[in-house]
Amino acid sequence: MNKPVRRIAIFCGLLILALLVRDNWLQYVQAEDLQSNKHNRRVLIARYSQPRGNIFVDGGATAITGSVETNGTDFKYKRTYKNGEMWAPVTGYASQAYGATQIENLEDGILTGDDDRLFFNRTIDMFTGEERKGGDVITTLNSKAQKAAFEGLGDKRGAVAAIDPKTGRILALASTPSYDPSTIAGNGEKDEKAWKALDKKNNPSDPMLNRALRQTYAPGSTFKVVTAAAALEDGLYTDIDAKTRSPLPWRLPLSTKHLANEGNLPCENASLREALRVSCNTVFGKLGDDLGVEKMREQAEKFGFNEEVYTPVRANASVYPEEMDRPSNAMSAIGQFDTRATPLQMAMVAAAIANDGKLMEPYMVDKLRAPNLNDIERHTPAPLSQAVSADTAHKLQEMMETVVKSGTGTKAQISGVTVGGKTGTAQRGIANSENPYAWFISYAKGKDGSSPVAVAVVIEGSDTTRSDIAGGRLAAPIARDVMKAVLDSEK
């Protein structure tokens, strides 16, 4: 080979080597970044080139999502939702323009068919020429309970969470105001207009906020069951009908201020049962002070406070503050000061008490299913903690059942059914200047004594006049309807 030809051959060899290096760099190093790049429309076009799998409720009997063919765009299919406003806190949205959230996002691989566990199905479809299909997500949600929760909230701003205490299955998860994910599923002008209307900057009611999982509220007097649990577990009191060492009035520690009750209540030395029945701030504030910050925080954490919860959709951590002075701890013990809880968290508290003290991990995806209807993955219920002993749980049940039988929670009564509950009316603003939150937590027992449902309801805002805002009046009837819907479903 003469010298010029050799130089050309070496140059061509170097070019080929450079191409090989570049090709491998793109395919094996930058592939993931390129695939997830927001400007890469090929991924989105592929995602919507076939119908997405569906999200089901009622054990797989009812699909709450669908797909429809579209025209005039390079996206062949668009997501649709059935009763989208009611189910949005469960499904989230899948939008050609704005991405996906919640189950639509977390289970995107199954729904699009891209998950590695669907490789066999994809291969079969390739050889048979069948259109590629996504898998399905079977949730734990009960449509009757969800309907009762959503319609009960109506035009009020608030949320409902309902759990099966024995397994942790989430039965209802409602949040209002809500939105219809179908309105933002495409990428046209109407979708853009709807998206802007839902933005919190343009809509202060923030309809896309999942209040059941992501919003924390002062739990008010519903937190008194946690304080009672701490007192019983610590042995500070053992008999729920014995008098407590609770003076009236009771002055907050290190303060000249007396802690007030809501009205002229029989709280002086009231028993734990009576104090919970009429909701004595003085008794439970003093209990929190007697126990101290550390014991109160430890008990709250056994119920799940101070930890995020993944259902798999993430729920914000509820908070029992770690460092407080004595007056702040006493106020936290009655669900005020900086104590904060999501509706899911307070449903977990009621569920653990109803389940003899065992707190189960809440979850809302029961199983993932391939297009050929074979199960890919099934959730196994798992305990999260033993929040209280069975003996303490039974005492708390007796106290909560007295609240519904003859206390502040009578509006949650269901004929022929044993119901336990606790009301809460959480003060807000400087000197209680804003409308309070209305809370109710509860459980219902079946004929065998076990509980198939525990519910937490919070009303953040409504047209109700301030003097009528109370957990027993606003939230308890909603909890009752949700519990009844679950009980009726099991008949």
Side-chain angles (χ1 to χ4, degrees):
M1 184 181 295
N2 60 39
K3 192 172 182 179
V5 173
R6 188 167 63 249
R7 286 177 176 173
I8 291 171
I10 292 172
F11 179 70
C12 290
L14 289 173
L15 285 178
I16 292 170
L17 181 63
L19 283 171
L20 286 172
V21 170
R22 179 62 176 168
D23 183 60
N24 280 278
W25 174 263
L26 290 173
Q27 288 196 40
Y28 297 104
V29 179
Q30 289 197 308
E32 191 170 335
D33 289 342
L34 291 171
Q35 191 171 21
S36 59
N37 191 301
K38 64 180 181 181
H39 300 298
N40 184 359
R41 282 177 55 81
R42 291 186 178 184
V43 175
L44 276 176
I45 291 170
R47 174 174 294 161
Y48 292 103
S49 63
Q50 73 278 329
R52 286 171 73 84
N54 281 317
I55 298 172
F56 284 81
V57 298
D58 294 333
T62 308
I64 56 174
T65 58
S67 295
V68 62
E69 283 198 60
T70 57
N71 298 315
T73 172
D74 45 7
F75 298 109
K76 188 175 179 182
Y77 288 93
K78 187 174 79 168
R79 195 54 146 170
T80 60
Y81 297 86
K82 298 170 185 173
N83 210 341
E85 279 191 89
M86 187 170 87
W87 291 111
V90 175
T91 61
Y93 60 80
S95 168
Q96 295 169 350
Y98 307 109
T101 59
Q102 301 193 175
I103 287 180
E104 289 280 30
N105 176 47
L106 294 170
E107 303 298 350
D108 187 66
I110 292 294
L111 294 168
T112 58
D114 285 342
D115 191 283
D116 290 343
R117 289 169 289 182
L118 296 176
F119 174 79
F120 179 75
N121 293 82
R122 291 198 298 269
T123 304
I124 294 295
D125 290 344
M126 184 176 67
F127 283 110
T128 60
E130 292 284 330
E131 186 177 44
R132 181 173 161 178
K133 299 173 185 173
D136 297 323
V137 177
I138 315 300
T139 72
T140 59
L141 278 294
N142 177 317
S143 62
K144 290 181 179 176
Q146 183 76 3
K147 186 170 185 285
F150 185 69
E151 292 183 352
L153 289 171
D155 58 2
K156 307 176 190 68
R157 193 164 60 240
V160 176
I163 299 176
D164 177 347
K166 290 178 291 186
T167 61
R169 291 186 307 139
I170 295 176
L171 302 171
L173 200 73
S175 175
T176 54
S178 188
Y179 67 101
D180 183 357
S182 296
T183 62
I184 54 173
N187 63 352
E189 290 183 6
K190 286 176 66 176
D191 300 272
E192 184 179 359
K193 187 177 178 181
W195 177 261
K196 288 180 179 177
L198 293 172
D199 194 315
K200 188 179 180 180
K201 288 184 292 187
N202 307 314
N203 190 339
S205 63
D206 201 4
M208 296 180 77
L209 172 63
N210 188 334
R211 288 174 165 81
L213 301 182
R214 298 290 175 81
Q215 185 73 349
T216 60
Y217 305 88
S221 294
T222 58
F223 192 79
K224 288 171 182 171
V225 296
V226 178
T227 303
L232 291 167
E233 286 288 281
D234 183 67
L236 186 61
Y237 293 101
T238 55
D239 183 351
I240 61 173
D241 292 312
K243 289 185 177 180
T244 57
R245 300 175 290 277
S246 307
L248 186 69
W250 180 68
R251 194 174 66 186
L252 283 165
L254 309 177
S255 170
T256 58
K257 182 180 177 183
H258 287 107
L259 182 60
N261 290 313
E262 290 293 323
N264 185 24
L265 302 176
C267 296
E268 184 174 3
N269 294 323
S271 68
L272 290 179
R273 186 198 299 267
E274 181 67 3
L276 197 74
R277 186 182 76 84
V278 298
S279 203
C280 295
N281 289 338
T282 47
V283 173
F284 288 98
K286 185 175 183 299
L287 280 180
D289 185 52
D290 290 344
L291 290 163
V293 177
E294 192 67 19
K295 290 178 181 176
M296 283 297 303
R297 182 182 57 76
E298 286 178 2
Q299 184 59 70
E301 290 182 350
K302 286 181 180 178
F303 279 111
F305 279 72
N306 296 337
E307 289 283 348
E308 292 180 335
V309 179
Y310 291 85
T311 68
V313 178
R314 181 180 62 82
N316 281 353
S318 298
V319 178
Y320 192 85
E322 295 188 10
E323 295 183 6
M324 292 181 286
D325 57 18
R326 287 180 60 192
S328 302
N329 179 56
M331 293 300 293
S332 295
I334 60 170
Q336 297 287 169
F337 187 60
D338 282 346
T339 309
R340 309 282 296 178
T342 62
L344 177 70
Q345 173 62 74
M346 293 314 295
M348 290 165 63
V349 170
I353 292 170
N355 193 36
D356 294 342
K358 182 184 286 186
L359 176 62
M360 300 299 290
E361 180 185 33
Y363 67 99
M364 63 174 160
V365 173
D366 184 42
K367 64 180 178 181
L368 306 176
R369 191 169 67 188
N372 61 7
L373 305 185
N374 286 336
D375 290 351
I376 300 171
E377 179 182 312
R378 186 157 202 157
H379 184 88
T380 302
L384 208 56
S385 73
Q386 184 71 38
V388 292
S389 68
D391 181 56
T392 295
H394 294 157
K395 290 174 178 174
L396 292 169
Q397 288 175 22
E398 284 189 50
M399 293 163 61
M400 292 176 71
E401 287 160 21
T402 302
V403 170
V404 174
K405 185 177 180 182
S406 60
T408 56
T410 55
K411 288 190 179 296
Q413 292 176 356
I414 302 173
S415 179
V417 177
T418 300
V419 176
K422 181 67 192 86
T423 55
T425 307
Q427 297 178 354
R428 299 173 58 212
I430 299 172
N432 197 18
S433 56
E434 299 179 41
N435 280 354
Y437 299 135
W439 276 93
F440 193 72
I441 63 170
S442 61
Y443 62 84
K445 283 183 177 175
K447 291 181 180 177
D448 63 354
S450 64
S451 175
V453 57
V455 184
V457 178
V458 63
I459 305 297
E460 178 184 335
S462 71
D463 294 333
T464 307
T465 56
R466 182 190 176 92
S467 60
D468 286 336
I469 296 176
R473 280 193 289 271
L474 286 182
I478 300 172
R480 176 199 61 208
D481 292 346
V482 174
M483 290 186 289
K484 193 169 184 307
V486 174
L487 294 171
D488 290 345
S489 298
E490 297 199 338
K491 289 180 180 176

